[in-house]
Amino acid sequence: MATEARTSNRRWVVQLLVLWGVQLVDVLVVTSVTPAIPALIADTGAPPGAATLVAASAAMVFAGLLLLSARLGDRYGHRRVLLAGLAVFGLAAVTGGTAHSIGQVVAARIGQGAAAALCVPAAMWVLLRLSPQPGRRRTALAGWSAGGAVAGVLGYVVGGGLTQALSWHWVFWINVPITVVLIAGVLLLVPADPADPGVRLDVWGAVLLTAAIMAIVGAASVLQDGRVALGSAGLVVGAALGAAFGAQQRRAAEPLVPRAGLRDAHLRMGSAVSFVNTATTSGIAIVVVLLLQNALGLSPVTAAVAMMPLSGSVVIGSVLSRLPALTSDSVRPTVLGLLAIAAGGLILALRHDRIPVIVVAMSIAGAGLGLASVGATSIGTASTVGTGESGSAALGLLNTAAQLGNALGVAALLGLTALPEGGTSVGFLVVTAAGLATAFWVHRSARGTGAG
């Protein structure tokens, strides 16, 4: 019996390593591309506004398809959807690795976003299914979070190192062997799960949401290049598609966004904070990478090393959120985190031409992100709406809000930095204002919702 138990435990650990690897590659494809953006823009002859599309295209598709993908797992089986997502990852890697135009690069990024949308909910579902005991579940979730944190730190260095030593194409090529290993691991180690053909899919909702985000991000890109008429038209189209999505959700029999979740004040607050968290910090990260390379003349590797404190301090902020003084009230770490993000933005607005100042500001903002992310998740998942599916629905909405913030925040900040006079400082001041306003709103609203 003891031998069987040890064998079972070893198999479980290996299964976790495979699933943690999925989380790692999901985050790695986001951060590793960031330091490569100046090189690929120059190499493909793309206009500066293309940086917005490269940076935000993966997140915008991820956000639009995430909720639908969770339902795909219920309908067709999560293992099957996970394998499909990994296959799309591989295809996107080859597309990016062989790219010679900005259109091909953006197509590869869109593929990466779609793959992440397929993989993340499926891998999380399998992870929880394989770890039903409380102790094992805590271990599984801790490793999942750690995989994301490690990828956040390593992504900048990997992307900068590959770009400088080889070329930006290798930021995509590196994902091919990783994907092959993960597919083999899933095939050999992850058991199949039953499908439910009766699950209904809100495909139109996902199409409208994704199209609305793509129109807004595309508009921000062309506005950055000075094409005001086309960019303004894109914003109008995006707003119209967003309105159509809202109307469709009210009529849909099985809406993409659960109505019960929208009625819950905790989940609305958690989702709003998740949006602001990534809208501010993702935008800061992209703008700072471009500053370090284009304005301050740093190499991709040096710029990547300068970015590492951002990801490292996210881990520190997450750990601080578990202090006894903060665990009793989930609003407290949320407000403190948002204030720290605002402080980081203010420092950068005042002085963003010195590397030590940038590193300090990024560290403060990163710690704030760690604090506010834990707080937002705690608030959002405090909902008592529904039973078994409420937790997964809440996590789905929180993740979708975060990816929406990632895509739209990057687009907005890069658009502001393109202003002729002081645009970069204006962008950082917008981050400060967003952090302060959201912190004030959370503090005031918590009294009425009972969040805490």
Side-chain angles (χ1 to χ4, degrees):
M1 291 293 293
T3 301
E4 292 180 1
R6 285 195 297 270
T7 301
S8 175
N9 189 61
R10 283 196 296 268
R11 180 178 177 83
W12 173 71
V13 170
V14 177
Q15 289 171 328
L16 289 188
L17 290 174
V18 171
L19 297 170
W20 292 341
V22 173
Q23 166 73 337
L24 187 144
V25 76
D26 284 335
V27 178
L28 196 67
V29 298
V30 175
T31 55
S32 63
V33 170
T34 301
I37 289 176
L40 68 86
I41 292 293
D43 194 32
T44 58
T52 301
L53 287 175
V54 175
S57 49
M60 68 185 182
V61 179
F62 191 178
L65 299 181
L66 183 59
L67 291 172
L68 176 65
S69 297
R71 300 296 285 169
L72 285 173
D74 295 333
R75 179 164 179 170
Y76 297 107
H78 293 85
R79 178 179 182 267
R80 188 175 299 169
V81 171
L82 177 55
L83 287 169
L86 290 171
V88 175
F89 256 132
L91 180 61
V94 173
T95 302
T98 57
H100 295 288
S101 69
I102 198 64
Q104 289 174 287
V105 173
V106 172
R109 296 289 286 156
I110 288 174
Q112 289 177 332
L118 290 169
C119 287
V120 167
M124 176 64 81
W125 189 93
V126 173
L127 187 86
L128 297 177
R129 179 184 176 220
L130 294 175
S131 310
Q133 302 89 346
R136 282 194 167 192
R137 179 162 295 195
R138 284 193 296 270
T139 299
L141 291 175
W144 179 272
S145 300
V150 169
V153 174
L154 292 181
Y156 294 113
V157 176
V158 170
L162 289 173
T163 300
Q164 186 166 326
L166 299 170
S167 78
W168 60 265
H169 293 90
W170 281 92
V171 174
F172 293 95
W173 280 124
I174 191 65
N175 295 312
V176 174
I178 296 174
T179 301
V180 171
V181 171
L182 291 176
I183 289 176
V186 172
L187 288 172
L188 293 172
L189 297 167
V190 174
D193 55 287
D196 183 359
V199 172
R200 301 179 69 175
L201 303 174
D202 184 13
V203 177
W204 275 114
V207 169
L208 287 171
L209 177 59
T210 306
I213 303 168
M214 292 178 73
I216 293 171
V217 172
S221 175
V222 297
L223 282 171
Q224 190 178 351
D225 291 330
R227 292 176 284 176
V228 178
L230 182 59
S232 300
L235 291 177
V236 172
V237 171
L241 288 169
F245 170 72
Q248 185 271 344
Q249 288 294 284
R250 289 191 292 272
R251 296 192 306 268
E254 294 287 341
L256 198 65
V257 181
R259 294 188 180 96
L262 292 178
R263 290 193 296 266
D264 185 74
H266 292 88
L267 187 51
R268 289 200 305 270
M269 181 184 290
S271 298
V273 174
S274 294
F275 177 91
V276 174
N277 284 345
T278 54
T280 52
T281 55
S282 296
I284 284 177
I286 296 295
V287 171
V288 167
V289 164
L290 296 178
L291 270 174
L292 290 172
Q293 294 192 52
N294 295 338
L296 301 182
L298 269 63
S299 69
V301 170
T302 309
V305 172
M307 292 295 294
M308 286 182 65
L310 172 65
S311 297
S313 58
V314 172
V315 179
I316 295 173
S318 300
V319 172
L320 290 175
S321 71
R322 308 313 302 166
L323 291 175
L326 298 178
T327 54
S328 61
D329 181 0
S330 56
V331 171
R332 195 172 299 160
T334 304
V335 171
L336 290 175
L338 289 166
L339 292 176
I341 291 172
L346 180 60
I347 293 171
L348 289 170
L350 296 174
R351 194 68 184 265
H352 49 263
D353 58 349
R354 295 189 61 190
I355 296 173
V357 175
I358 290 175
V359 170
V360 170
M362 297 290 281
S363 299
I364 293 172
L369 175 60
L371 282 165
S373 295
V374 173
T377 302
S378 298
I379 292 173
T381 54
S383 171
T384 56
V385 174
T387 53
E389 295 183 356
S390 62
S392 59
L395 287 172
L397 286 172
L398 291 169
N399 284 327
T400 298
Q403 293 304 320
L404 278 171
N406 192 339
L408 300 181
V410 167
L413 258 70
L414 285 178
L416 288 171
T417 59
L419 294 174
E421 293 294 333
T424 301
S425 293
V426 170
F428 290 137
L429 285 175
V430 168
V431 167
T432 300
L436 290 174
T438 309
F440 179 76
W441 171 72
V442 169
H443 178 70
R444 289 288 302 273
S445 300
R447 300 175 183 176
T449 63

